[in-house]
Amino acid sequence: MAPAYKRILLKVSGEALAGDNSFGIEPPFLQAIAKQIADVASTGVQIGIVVGGGNIFRGMAGAADGTDRVTADLMGMLGTMINALALSNAITRQGVKAKAFSAVTMPNVADTFTARAAKSALEDGFVVVLGGGIGNPFFTTDTASTLRAIELECDVVLKGTKVDGVYSDDPMKNPDALRYDTISYDDVIGKNLKVMDTAAFALARDNSMPIIVYALDDPGGLTGVLAGQTRSTLVSASN
């Protein structure tokens, strides 16, 4: 069966790479995520990935602790590059070509991101791993995910979280929280459902970029999500 999507943008949080630890990269979790990505890439789906950096340093937390916000966010961008290098290398070890790009110029570390170069790499069969956020402070990697998906002309954004979709409230705290199979951008924003930040959803809405939210630890993995076999929530123009 032909894949449902030709080109996807996957958001991988830093916390996913930390696994059961609160800090750093846990090799088994890194390899598990890399294998899921490689399995999908081997079917011919082109994959761009935006990585977070919360397992290394979180800019908002640093700012709250007294570091000025611009410096804190720059530190967070460097953390995302550590993750981007680790993930691209892990994907390569799975037998799939991968290339890291940085939104912040650091030529000895990774190629500087341009949409043109990243699209060319995707078309050449590389999984593209994008670090550095959007290269500017005050923007989250969720917003970077939506922006890069639009720039790279992806079909969908996939956001892996700790829960299997979008809920009316935190299901970890409220067992009566309602889970949505589908929901509109406007409802997500209006109800202030914080699975991604508001700027990310607004950018997706204005550019008609669908977002699928699913649980990272689902046994079906990324393949199951793309096949429609895994519980998830589709955020789109209408529900």
Side-chain angles (χ1 to χ4, degrees):
M1 188 188 314
Y5 302 104
K6 178 183 177 184
R7 181 179 294 173
I8 65 173
L9 193 293
L10 174 65
K11 167 66 192 300
V12 175
S13 69
E15 289 85 348
L17 300 180
D20 293 330
N21 296 329
S22 59
F23 179 83
I25 298 171
E26 184 71 11
F29 287 87
L30 174 68
Q31 292 302 324
I33 292 172
K35 185 178 188 308
Q36 286 190 34
I37 293 165
D39 287 346
V40 171
S42 67
T43 68
V45 177
Q46 297 176 8
I47 305 174
I49 303 167
V50 167
V51 286
N55 58 320
I56 307 295
F57 186 84
R58 186 175 290 280
M60 288 288 285
D65 197 41
T67 305
D68 76 85
R69 179 64 187 273
V70 173
T71 299
D73 281 356
L74 289 171
M75 293 168 68
M77 290 177 208
L78 295 177
T80 69
M81 280 312 304
I82 292 173
N83 288 337
L85 293 173
L87 184 56
S88 62
N89 181 265
I91 293 167
T92 299
R93 281 184 281 148
Q94 294 288 335
V96 172
K97 298 186 297 183
K99 181 178 289 189
F101 285 88
S102 173
V104 182
T105 302
M106 46 180 80
N108 289 344
V109 175
D111 291 346
T112 301
F113 172 83
T114 66
R116 180 181 62 253
K119 282 195 283 189
S120 178
L122 288 168
E123 289 162 0
D124 287 340
F126 285 86
V127 172
V128 169
V129 187
L130 309 170
I134 69 168
N136 295 102
F138 300 100
F139 291 93
T140 68
T141 50
D142 281 343
T143 301
S145 301
T146 305
L147 175 62
R148 297 302 185 226
I150 295 163
E151 289 182 296
L152 298 178
E153 300 178 316
C154 294
D155 300 315
V156 66
V157 174
L158 296 163
K159 161 81 172 182
T161 70
K162 294 180 179 178
V163 294
D164 57 357
V166 177
Y167 283 78
S168 60
D169 195 5
D170 185 345
M172 304 292 188
K173 299 177 181 177
N174 178 6
D176 296 322
L178 173 66
R179 180 185 167 278
Y180 302 96
D181 287 326
T182 63
I183 190 169
S184 70
Y185 306 114
D186 287 336
D187 282 347
V188 168
I189 294 169
K191 297 175 188 292
N192 198 28
L193 305 179
K194 293 185 174 296
V195 68
M196 293 175 79
D197 64 80
T198 302
F201 282 122
L203 189 60
R205 178 193 62 193
D206 293 347
N207 291 273
S208 301
M209 177 60 65
I211 299 171
I212 295 175
V213 181
Y214 70 101
L216 270 173
D217 62 357
D218 189 280
L222 187 56
T223 300
V225 177
L226 294 175
Q229 298 168 349
T230 294
R231 277 167 62 95
S232 61
T233 299
L234 173 65
V235 184
S236 61
S238 63
N239 60 352

